[in-house]
Amino acid sequence: YIFFFLFFFSFFLFFFFFLSSFFFFFFQAEDGIRDAQESRGLGDVYKRQYQRRVRDQSRQQTSTRLRVVMIFLALLALGYAGPTAALPAPQPVHMLRPVTLELARVAPATLSTPSAGSFLCHPFQLTSNLWAIRFTPQEPGLHHLTLTPSIRHRFFAIASSPSVPGFLRVGPNQQHLIDTSTNKTAVLRGLNIGWPSGNLSSAVSYYEGYFERMQAVGANYARVWLGPNVHGGSNPLAMLSNYTAVNLEVAAVVDQLLQSAQAHGIRLLLALESFNSLMPQIPKVRTYGAWDASVYNAANGGPLPSTLGFLEFWSNEEMVTAWEGYVRYAVARFGPHPSLMAFQLFNEVDAAMFDVVPASFGWHRRMASLIHEIDRYQHIVSESFGLKEGNPIIDAVSSFDITTTHYYARIDRGGSPDAGMAAARWTSLKLLAYNKPSFVGEYGCDDDAGQPLTRAALHDGIWAPLFAGAAATGTFWYWDTVPSAWWQPDLQAVGRFLEALPFELGDAVWSPFVPSGLPSTVESVGIASQDGSKLLLFLHSTNGSLPCIAPAVVPIPSFGLQLPSSMGNHTFTWYNSTTGVMCPSGQTVGLATKEGEVIVGTPQFVSDVILVAVAKPASIHQ
C-alpha cells in the first residue's frame, strides 16, 4: 500500500508540475520575445516584464517556490518508492526443501504463501557474524519474504516428487501419524542412534553409515540426543556451550544430519537434553550423573548453585528464560526441516528423580506450549521417562502429542524377561489412558545385571508394539552393541507386512483385543477396529521362552483360535513374523460353533505368528 500511494503521489506531482510549467513558460517566453529586449537570463525576463506590477511579481515568486517544492517532494517520493518498485525476479526453489537466507543483522521476516496467509520467520545465529532466516515451502507457487518495506525476496516453489516425505502430524484416529505431503499413514520403523562415536568431525559420516543401512531395508526413523552429557562420557552433539549459548559448530552438524536424513528418507526425533545434566554422581551407585560437569552448575558458569542446585532447574527464572532461548533457537533453525519428526525435551527426565518436583509440571507445560506457539511447522512434542509408567501428570498434558515407554527387563525391579511383550502392554494401556499416539522409545534386557540384548528380545520388541496400536516399531538399546544382521531383517520384514495389509493403520480407530481360550503356552497382543471390520493379532510363544534369557525352540502345534461370532464373515490371513510374508497356509475362513464363536485354525509356529482379519465388504457395520 505504501508503494502504490507513493507511486501515484509522485505521478500526480510530476503531472501537475508539467502542466503548470507548460503554461507558465510558454506565455512568459512569448512575452519575452515580443518585448525584443536583451535578456540577461530567464529570471531577468520575469523581472523586467513585471517590475511595474508588484502584486504580480509576488505571485510569480510564490509560484516559482511552489514548483521547486513540488519537484523536491516528487523526487523524494520516487527516491523512497524506487527500491520497492523493482521487485526481484522469483528464485526457483523446491517444495519441502528448506530455504536459508543469510542476514548481516537480526531481522525477523514475514513470509506470505500462495494460500496459507502470512507468518513470521524468526532469525537465528548462523555464524559468529551472520544471522539467518529459514523456511520450507509446503505448496507450489509464489512466496514473498519481506524483511523491511525496501528488502523483499520472492521465491517460486516447484512441486516436489511424491516420494519426498513431508512433515508429520498426529492423524485423525489420534493413534497414528500422517505425512502431510501424501496424507497417508506413516508407521515409523527405526533405531535409537543416541550419539556418535568419535568426535564431532566424524559425526556426519557415522550417522550416514546407519542411514544407508536403514534405507536399504526401508527403515525411516531414528532418535538422536543433543544433551551434553551421556552415559559415562560427553556427547559430541552437545548443543549448549554454556547455559545461554548454542555451540554453532554443533548446530551446523545437526543441520547436516537433518539434510542427510531427508536424502535417505529418514525422520529424526531430537532429544534436546538428558537427565544426566541434572543428576549428581552418587558413590558406588551407577547413576550416570554429570551434575559436576553440567553447564547449568554455577561451578561451570551456570545460574544454579553447585550444591543441590539441580533442584532449582525448574523454577529459577534465569534458568527457565535461558532454556526458552534454547528452544526458540532449535525451532527456528531445525524446525523447517521436514526430516525432523519431533522435539523431545529430555531423555528420561525422571531418571534424576526430580520430575516430581511440582515446579517441573509448570516447566513442562511452559516449554511444550512455547514450541507449539512458535513452530510454524507444528512438529510433534514429546517427553520420555525412565519408569515404564511414565508420568501421568505430564503425559496427560495436551501440549505433549505422544507418549513414550522405556522398558528394561530388570528382574530386581519386577521386570519381565519378555521385554517386547511387556512394553507392548504398556503401550496399550497408555493409548487407552491418553488417546494419543504411543511409542516404545527404548527397550532392553536387564542392563543393571549386565545382560545384553538378545536376538529374540530384539525381534519381539520390534514387532509386538505395532499390535498394541503403537505408531512405530520399538527402538532397542544400545544400537552400537547389536549387529546390523539382527535388526535389518526384522525392520525389512515389518515393511513387507505393512505393504501387504489391505488397509492403512490410520484408517481405523483401534481398541485392545484379547482372544479367549488360548493355550497356556501362548500369549497375545492385538487390536480390533471399533467398527469390527479389522483385526490385527500377534500370537507369541511362552513355551519355555524367556527372550532375554533363552529363545523359544519348542514348536507350538496348530490349535483352534476362538474369536467373536461377529467375525464369522471375515477373511483370515496368517503372516510369518520373520519374513513379513503370508504363511504357506495362506488365507482361510472361520468355522462357526454352536456356542456362537468362530474358530480359526492356526499354523504351527515356534516364536510367534500374525493374524490379519478383514470383513468382507457386505459385512462391514455401517
Coordinates of all heavy atoms in Angstrom, one line a residue, residues 96-165:
L96 N 9.2 -28.6 0.1 CA 9.7 -29.5 1.2 C 11.2 -29.5 1.2 O 11.8 -30.5 1.7 CB 9.1 -30.9 1.0 CG 7.6 -30.9 1.1 CD1 7.1 -32.3 0.7 CD2 7.1 -30.5 2.4
R97 N 11.9 -28.5 0.7 CA 13.3 -28.3 0.8 C 13.6 -27.0 1.6 O 13.1 -25.9 1.1 CB 14.0 -28.3 -0.5 CG 13.8 -29.5 -1.4 CD 14.5 -30.7 -0.8 NE 14.4 -31.9 -1.7 CZ 14.9 -33.1 -1.4 NH1 15.5 -33.3 -0.2 NH2 14.8 -34.1 -2.2
P98 N 14.2 -27.0 2.7 CA 14.4 -25.8 3.5 C 15.2 -24.7 2.6 O 16.2 -25.0 1.9 CB 15.3 -26.2 4.7 CG 14.9 -27.6 4.8 CD 14.7 -28.2 3.4
V99 N 14.8 -23.5 2.7 CA 15.4 -22.3 2.1 C 16.1 -21.5 3.2 O 15.3 -21.1 4.1 CB 14.4 -21.5 1.3 CG1 15.1 -20.3 0.6 CG2 13.8 -22.3 0.2
T100 N 17.4 -21.2 3.1 CA 18.1 -20.4 4.1 C 18.5 -19.1 3.5 O 19.2 -19.1 2.5 CB 19.2 -21.2 4.7 OG1 18.8 -22.4 5.3 CG2 19.9 -20.4 5.8
L101 N 18.2 -18.0 4.2 CA 18.6 -16.7 3.7 C 19.5 -16.0 4.8 O 19.1 -15.8 5.9 CB 17.4 -15.8 3.5 CG 17.6 -14.4 2.9 CD1 18.1 -14.5 1.5 CD2 16.3 -13.5 3.0
E102 N 20.8 -15.7 4.4 CA 21.7 -15.2 5.3 C 21.5 -13.7 5.5 O 21.1 -13.0 4.6 CB 23.1 -15.4 4.8 CG 23.5 -16.9 4.8 CD 25.0 -17.1 4.4 OE1 25.6 -16.1 4.1 OE2 25.4 -18.2 4.4
L103 N 21.7 -13.2 6.8 CA 21.4 -11.8 7.1 C 22.7 -11.3 7.8 O 23.4 -12.0 8.5 CB 20.2 -11.7 8.1 CG 18.9 -12.4 7.7 CD1 17.9 -12.3 8.8 CD2 18.3 -11.7 6.4
A104 N 22.9 -10.0 7.6 CA 24.0 -9.3 8.2 C 23.6 -8.8 9.6 O 24.5 -8.4 10.4 CB 24.5 -8.2 7.4
R105 N 22.3 -8.8 9.9 CA 21.8 -8.3 11.2 C 20.6 -9.1 11.5 O 20.0 -9.7 10.7 CB 21.6 -6.8 11.1 CG 20.5 -6.4 10.1 CD 20.3 -4.9 10.0 NE 19.3 -4.5 9.0 CZ 18.0 -4.4 9.3 NH1 17.6 -4.7 10.5 NH2 17.2 -4.0 8.3
V106 N 20.2 -9.0 12.8 CA 19.0 -9.7 13.3 C 17.8 -8.9 12.7 O 17.6 -7.7 13.0 CB 19.0 -9.7 14.8 CG1 17.7 -10.4 15.3 CG2 20.2 -10.3 15.4
A107 N 16.9 -9.7 12.0 CA 15.7 -9.1 11.5 C 14.7 -10.2 11.2 O 14.9 -11.0 10.4 CB 16.0 -8.3 10.2
P108 N 13.6 -10.2 12.0 CA 12.5 -11.2 11.6 C 11.9 -10.8 10.3 O 11.9 -9.7 9.8 CB 11.5 -11.0 12.8 CG 11.7 -9.6 13.3 CD 13.2 -9.3 13.1
A109 N 11.4 -11.8 9.6 CA 10.8 -11.6 8.3 C 9.4 -12.2 8.3 O 9.0 -13.0 9.1 CB 11.6 -12.3 7.2
T110 N 8.6 -11.7 7.3 CA 7.2 -12.2 7.1 C 7.2 -12.9 5.8 O 7.6 -12.4 4.8 CB 6.2 -11.0 7.1 OG1 6.3 -10.3 8.3 CG2 4.8 -11.5 6.9
L111 N 6.7 -14.2 5.9 CA 6.6 -15.0 4.7 C 5.1 -15.1 4.3 O 4.3 -15.5 5.1 CB 7.1 -16.4 4.9 CG 7.0 -17.3 3.7 CD1 8.0 -16.9 2.6 CD2 7.3 -18.8 4.1
S112 N 4.8 -14.7 3.1 CA 3.4 -14.8 2.5 C 3.4 -15.9 1.5 O 4.3 -16.0 0.6 CB 3.0 -13.5 1.8 OG 3.1 -12.4 2.7
T113 N 2.5 -16.9 1.7 CA 2.4 -18.1 0.9 C 1.2 -17.9 0.0 O 0.4 -17.1 0.1 CB 2.2 -19.3 1.8 OG1 1.0 -19.2 2.5 CG2 3.3 -19.4 2.8
P114 N 1.2 -18.8 -1.1 CA 0.1 -18.7 -2.0 C -1.3 -18.8 -1.4 O -2.2 -18.1 -1.9 CB 0.4 -19.8 -3.0 CG 1.8 -20.0 -2.9 CD 2.2 -19.7 -1.5
S115 N -1.5 -19.6 -0.4 CA -2.9 -19.8 0.1 C -3.0 -19.8 1.6 O -4.1 -19.6 2.1 CB -3.4 -21.2 -0.4 OG -2.6 -22.2 0.1
A116 N -1.9 -19.9 2.3 CA -2.0 -20.1 3.7 C -1.8 -18.8 4.5 O -1.6 -18.9 5.7 CB -1.0 -21.2 4.2
G117 N -1.8 -17.7 3.9 CA -1.6 -16.4 4.6 C -0.2 -16.1 4.9 O 0.7 -16.6 4.2
S118 N 0.1 -15.3 5.9 CA 1.4 -14.9 6.3 C 1.8 -15.3 7.7 O 0.9 -15.5 8.6 CB 1.5 -13.3 6.2 OG 1.2 -12.9 4.9
F119 N 3.1 -15.5 7.9 CA 3.6 -15.8 9.2 C 5.0 -15.4 9.4 O 5.7 -15.1 8.4 CB 3.5 -17.4 9.5 CG 4.3 -18.2 8.6 CD1 5.6 -18.5 8.9 CD2 3.8 -18.7 7.4 CE1 6.4 -19.3 8.1 CE2 4.6 -19.5 6.5 CZ 5.9 -19.8 6.9
L120 N 5.4 -15.2 10.6 CA 6.7 -14.7 10.9 C 7.8 -15.8 10.8 O 7.6 -17.0 11.2 CB 6.8 -14.1 12.3 CG 6.2 -12.7 12.6 CD1 6.3 -12.4 14.0 CD2 6.9 -11.7 11.7
C121 N 8.9 -15.5 10.2 CA 10.1 -16.3 10.3 C 11.1 -15.7 11.2 O 11.5 -14.6 11.0 CB 10.7 -16.4 8.9 SG 9.7 -17.3 7.6
H122 N 11.4 -16.5 12.3 CA 12.3 -15.9 13.3 C 13.8 -16.2 13.0 O 14.2 -17.3 12.5 CB 12.0 -16.6 14.7 CG 10.6 -16.3 15.1 ND1 10.3 -15.1 15.7 CD2 9.5 -17.0 15.1 CE1 9.0 -15.1 16.0 NE2 8.5 -16.3 15.6
P123 N 14.6 -15.2 13.2 CA 16.1 -15.3 12.8 C 16.8 -16.2 13.8 O 16.4 -16.3 15.0 CB 16.6 -13.9 12.8 CG 15.7 -13.2 13.8 CD 14.3 -13.8 13.7
F124 N 17.9 -16.8 13.4 CA 18.8 -17.5 14.3 C 20.2 -17.2 13.9 O 20.5 -16.9 12.8 CB 18.5 -19.0 14.3 CG 18.7 -19.6 12.9 CD1 19.9 -20.1 12.6 CD2 17.7 -19.8 12.1 CE1 20.1 -20.7 11.3 CE2 17.8 -20.3 10.8 CZ 19.1 -20.8 10.4
Q125 N 21.1 -17.3 14.9 CA 22.5 -17.1 14.6 C 23.1 -18.2 13.8 O 23.0 -19.4 14.2 CB 23.3 -16.8 15.9 CG 24.7 -16.3 15.6 CD 25.4 -15.8 16.9 OE1 24.8 -15.9 18.0 NE2 26.5 -15.1 16.8
L126 N 23.7 -17.9 12.7 CA 24.3 -18.9 11.8 C 25.8 -19.1 12.1 O 26.3 -20.2 12.2 CB 24.0 -18.5 10.4 CG 24.4 -19.6 9.3 CD1 23.5 -20.8 9.4 CD2 24.2 -19.0 7.9
T127 N 26.5 -18.0 12.1 CA 27.9 -18.0 12.4 C 28.2 -16.9 13.4 O 27.2 -16.2 13.9 CB 28.8 -17.8 11.2 OG1 28.5 -16.4 10.7 CG2 28.4 -18.8 10.1
S128 N 29.4 -16.6 13.8 CA 29.7 -15.6 14.7 C 29.3 -14.2 14.3 O 29.1 -13.3 15.1 CB 31.2 -15.6 15.0 OG 32.0 -15.4 13.9
N129 N 29.2 -14.0 13.0 CA 28.8 -12.6 12.5 C 27.7 -12.6 11.4 O 27.5 -11.7 10.8 CB 30.1 -11.9 11.8 CG 30.7 -12.8 10.7 OD1 30.2 -13.8 10.4 ND2 31.8 -12.3 10.2
L130 N 27.0 -13.8 11.3 CA 25.9 -13.9 10.4 C 24.7 -14.5 11.1 O 24.8 -15.4 11.9 CB 26.3 -14.8 9.2 CG 27.0 -14.1 8.0 CD1 27.3 -15.2 7.0 CD2 26.3 -13.0 7.4
W131 N 23.5 -13.9 10.7 CA 22.3 -14.5 11.1 C 21.6 -15.0 9.9 O 22.0 -14.8 8.8 CB 21.4 -13.4 11.8 CG 22.0 -13.0 13.2 CD1 23.1 -12.3 13.4 CD2 21.4 -13.4 14.4 NE1 23.3 -12.2 14.8 CE2 22.3 -12.8 15.4 CE3 20.3 -14.0 14.8 CZ2 22.0 -12.9 16.8 CZ3 20.0 -14.2 16.2 CH2 20.9 -13.6 17.2
A132 N 20.5 -15.8 10.1 CA 19.8 -16.4 9.0 C 18.3 -16.5 9.3 O 17.9 -16.5 10.5 CB 20.4 -17.7 8.7
I133 N 17.5 -16.6 8.3 CA 16.1 -17.0 8.3 C 15.9 -18.2 7.4 O 16.5 -18.3 6.4 CB 15.2 -15.8 7.9 CG1 15.1 -14.8 9.0 CG2 13.9 -16.3 7.4 CD1 14.4 -13.5 8.6
R134 N 15.1 -19.1 7.9 CA 14.9 -20.4 7.2 C 13.4 -20.7 7.1 O 12.7 -20.5 8.1 CB 15.6 -21.5 7.9 CG 15.5 -22.9 7.2 CD 16.4 -23.9 7.9 NE 17.8 -23.6 7.6 CZ 18.9 -24.1 8.3 NH1 18.7 -24.8 9.3 NH2 20.1 -23.8 7.9
F135 N 13.0 -21.1 5.9 CA 11.6 -21.5 5.8 C 11.5 -22.7 4.8 O 12.5 -22.9 4.0 CB 10.7 -20.4 5.3 CG 10.9 -20.0 3.9 CD1 10.1 -20.5 2.9 CD2 11.8 -19.0 3.6 CE1 10.2 -20.1 1.6 CE2 12.0 -18.7 2.2 CZ 11.2 -19.2 1.2
T136 N 10.4 -23.4 4.8 CA 10.2 -24.5 3.8 C 8.9 -24.4 3.1 O 7.9 -24.4 3.8 CB 10.3 -25.9 4.5 OG1 11.6 -26.0 5.1 CG2 10.0 -27.0 3.6
P137 N 8.9 -24.2 1.8 CA 7.6 -24.1 1.1 C 6.9 -25.5 1.2 O 7.4 -26.5 1.0 CB 8.0 -23.8 -0.4 CG 9.4 -23.4 -0.3 CD 10.0 -24.1 0.9
Q138 N 5.6 -25.4 1.5 CA 4.8 -26.6 1.6 C 3.7 -26.7 0.5 O 2.9 -27.6 0.5 CB 4.1 -26.7 2.9 CG 5.0 -26.7 4.1 CD 4.3 -26.9 5.4 OE1 3.8 -28.0 5.7 NE2 4.3 -25.9 6.2
E139 N 3.7 -25.7 -0.4 CA 2.8 -25.7 -1.5 C 3.5 -25.0 -2.7 O 4.4 -24.2 -2.6 CB 1.5 -24.9 -1.2 CG 1.7 -23.5 -0.8 CD 0.5 -22.8 -0.4 OE1 -0.5 -23.0 -1.1 OE2 0.5 -22.0 0.6
P140 N 3.1 -25.4 -3.9 CA 3.7 -24.7 -5.1 C 3.2 -23.3 -5.3 O 2.1 -23.0 -4.8 CB 3.3 -25.6 -6.3 CG 2.0 -26.2 -5.8 CD 2.1 -26.4 -4.3
G141 N 4.0 -22.5 -5.9 CA 3.6 -21.1 -6.2 C 4.5 -20.1 -5.7 O 5.6 -20.4 -5.1
L142 N 4.1 -18.8 -5.8 CA 4.9 -17.7 -5.4 C 4.9 -17.4 -3.9 O 3.8 -17.3 -3.3 CB 4.4 -16.4 -6.2 CG 5.3 -15.2 -6.2 CD1 6.7 -15.5 -6.8 CD2 4.7 -14.1 -6.9
H143 N 6.0 -17.3 -3.3 CA 6.2 -16.9 -1.9 C 6.9 -15.6 -1.8 O 7.9 -15.4 -2.5 CB 7.0 -18.0 -1.1 CG 6.3 -19.3 -1.0 ND1 6.0 -20.1 -2.1 CD2 5.8 -20.0 0.1 CE1 5.4 -21.2 -1.7 NE2 5.3 -21.2 -0.4
H144 N 6.4 -14.7 -0.9 CA 7.1 -13.4 -0.7 C 7.7 -13.4 0.7 O 7.0 -13.7 1.7 CB 6.1 -12.3 -0.8 CG 5.5 -12.1 -2.2 ND1 6.0 -11.2 -3.1 CD2 4.5 -12.7 -2.8 CE1 5.3 -11.3 -4.2 NE2 4.3 -12.2 -4.1
L145 N 9.0 -13.1 0.8 CA 9.6 -12.9 2.1 C 10.0 -11.5 2.3 O 10.8 -10.9 1.5 CB 10.9 -13.8 2.1 CG 11.6 -14.0 3.5 CD1 10.7 -14.7 4.5 CD2 12.9 -14.6 3.4
T146 N 9.5 -10.8 3.3 CA 9.7 -9.4 3.5 C 10.4 -9.2 4.8 O 9.9 -9.5 5.8 CB 8.3 -8.6 3.5 OG1 7.6 -8.9 2.3 CG2 8.5 -7.1 3.7
L147 N 11.6 -8.6 4.7 CA 12.4 -8.2 5.8 C 12.0 -6.8 6.3 O 11.9 -6.5 7.4 CB 13.9 -8.3 5.6 CG 14.4 -9.8 5.7 CD1 14.2 -10.5 4.4 CD2 15.9 -9.8 6.0
T148 N 12.0 -5.8 5.3 CA 11.6 -4.4 5.5 C 10.9 -4.0 4.3 O 10.9 -4.7 3.3 CB 12.9 -3.5 5.7 OG1 13.6 -3.4 4.5 CG2 13.8 -4.0 6.8
P149 N 10.2 -2.9 4.3 CA 9.5 -2.4 3.1 C 10.4 -2.3 1.8 O 9.9 -2.4 0.7 CB 8.9 -1.0 3.5 CG 8.8 -1.1 4.9 CD 9.9 -2.0 5.4
S150 N 11.7 -2.1 2.1 CA 12.6 -2.0 0.9 C 13.4 -3.2 0.6 O 14.2 -3.3 -0.3 CB 13.5 -0.8 1.1 OG 14.3 -1.0 2.3
I151 N 13.3 -4.3 1.5 CA 14.1 -5.5 1.3 C 13.1 -6.7 1.2 O 12.5 -7.1 2.2 CB 15.1 -5.8 2.4 CG1 16.0 -4.6 2.6 CG2 15.9 -7.0 2.2 CD1 17.0 -4.7 3.7
R152 N 12.9 -7.1 0.0 CA 11.9 -8.1 -0.3 C 12.5 -9.2 -1.2 O 13.3 -8.9 -2.1 CB 10.6 -7.6 -0.9 CG 9.9 -6.5 0.0 CD 8.8 -5.8 -0.8 NE 7.7 -6.7 -1.1 CZ 6.7 -6.3 -1.8 NH1 6.6 -5.0 -2.2 NH2 5.7 -7.1 -2.0
H153 N 12.1 -10.4 -1.0 CA 12.6 -11.5 -1.8 C 11.4 -12.3 -2.3 O 10.4 -12.5 -1.5 CB 13.5 -12.4 -1.0 CG 14.8 -11.8 -0.5 ND1 15.9 -11.7 -1.2 CD2 15.0 -11.0 0.6 CE1 16.8 -11.0 -0.5 NE2 16.3 -10.6 0.6
R154 N 11.5 -12.9 -3.4 CA 10.4 -13.7 -4.0 C 11.0 -15.1 -4.4 O 12.1 -15.2 -4.9 CB 9.8 -13.1 -5.2 CG 9.1 -11.7 -4.9 CD 8.1 -11.3 -5.9 NE 8.8 -11.1 -7.2 CZ 8.1 -11.0 -8.4 NH1 6.8 -11.0 -8.4 NH2 8.8 -10.8 -9.5
F155 N 10.2 -16.1 -4.0 CA 10.6 -17.5 -4.4 C 9.4 -18.2 -5.0 O 8.2 -18.0 -4.6 CB 11.0 -18.2 -3.1 CG 12.1 -17.6 -2.3 CD1 11.8 -16.6 -1.3 CD2 13.4 -17.9 -2.5 CE1 12.8 -16.0 -0.6 CE2 14.4 -17.3 -1.8 CZ 14.1 -16.4 -0.9
F156 N 9.7 -18.9 -6.1 CA 8.6 -19.7 -6.7 C 8.9 -21.2 -6.4 O 9.9 -21.7 -6.9 CB 8.6 -19.5 -8.2 CG 7.3 -20.0 -8.9 CD1 6.2 -19.3 -8.9 CD2 7.3 -21.3 -9.3 CE1 5.0 -19.8 -9.5 CE2 6.2 -21.9 -9.9 CZ 5.0 -21.1 -10.0
A157 N 8.0 -21.8 -5.6 CA 8.2 -23.2 -5.2 C 7.7 -24.1 -6.3 O 6.6 -24.0 -6.8 CB 7.4 -23.4 -3.9
I158 N 8.5 -25.0 -6.7 CA 8.2 -26.0 -7.7 C 7.7 -27.3 -7.0 O 8.3 -27.7 -5.9 CB 9.5 -26.3 -8.5 CG1 10.0 -25.0 -9.2 CG2 9.2 -27.4 -9.6 CD1 11.3 -25.2 -9.8
A159 N 6.7 -27.9 -7.5 CA 6.1 -29.1 -6.9 C 7.2 -30.2 -6.8 O 8.0 -30.4 -7.7 CB 4.9 -29.6 -7.7
S160 N 7.2 -30.8 -5.6 CA 8.2 -31.9 -5.4 C 7.7 -33.2 -5.8 O 6.5 -33.4 -6.1 CB 8.6 -31.9 -3.9 OG 7.4 -32.2 -3.1
S161 N 8.6 -34.2 -5.9 CA 8.3 -35.5 -6.2 C 7.4 -36.1 -5.1 O 7.6 -35.8 -3.9 CB 9.5 -36.4 -6.4 OG 9.2 -37.7 -6.4
P162 N 6.4 -37.0 -5.5 CA 5.6 -37.6 -4.4 C 6.4 -38.4 -3.4 O 6.0 -38.7 -2.3 CB 4.6 -38.5 -5.2 CG 4.6 -37.9 -6.6 CD 6.0 -37.3 -6.8
S163 N 7.6 -38.8 -3.8 CA 8.5 -39.6 -2.9 C 9.1 -38.8 -1.9 O 9.7 -39.3 -0.9 CB 9.5 -40.4 -3.7 OG 10.4 -39.4 -4.4
V164 N 9.1 -37.5 -2.0 CA 9.8 -36.6 -1.0 C 8.9 -36.6 0.3 O 7.7 -36.1 0.2 CB 10.0 -35.2 -1.5 CG1 10.6 -34.3 -0.4 CG2 10.9 -35.2 -2.7
P165 N 9.4 -37.0 1.4 CA 8.5 -37.0 2.6 C 8.2 -35.6 3.1 O 9.0 -34.7 3.0 CB 9.3 -37.8 3.6 CG 10.7 -37.6 3.2 CD 10.7 -37.5 1.7

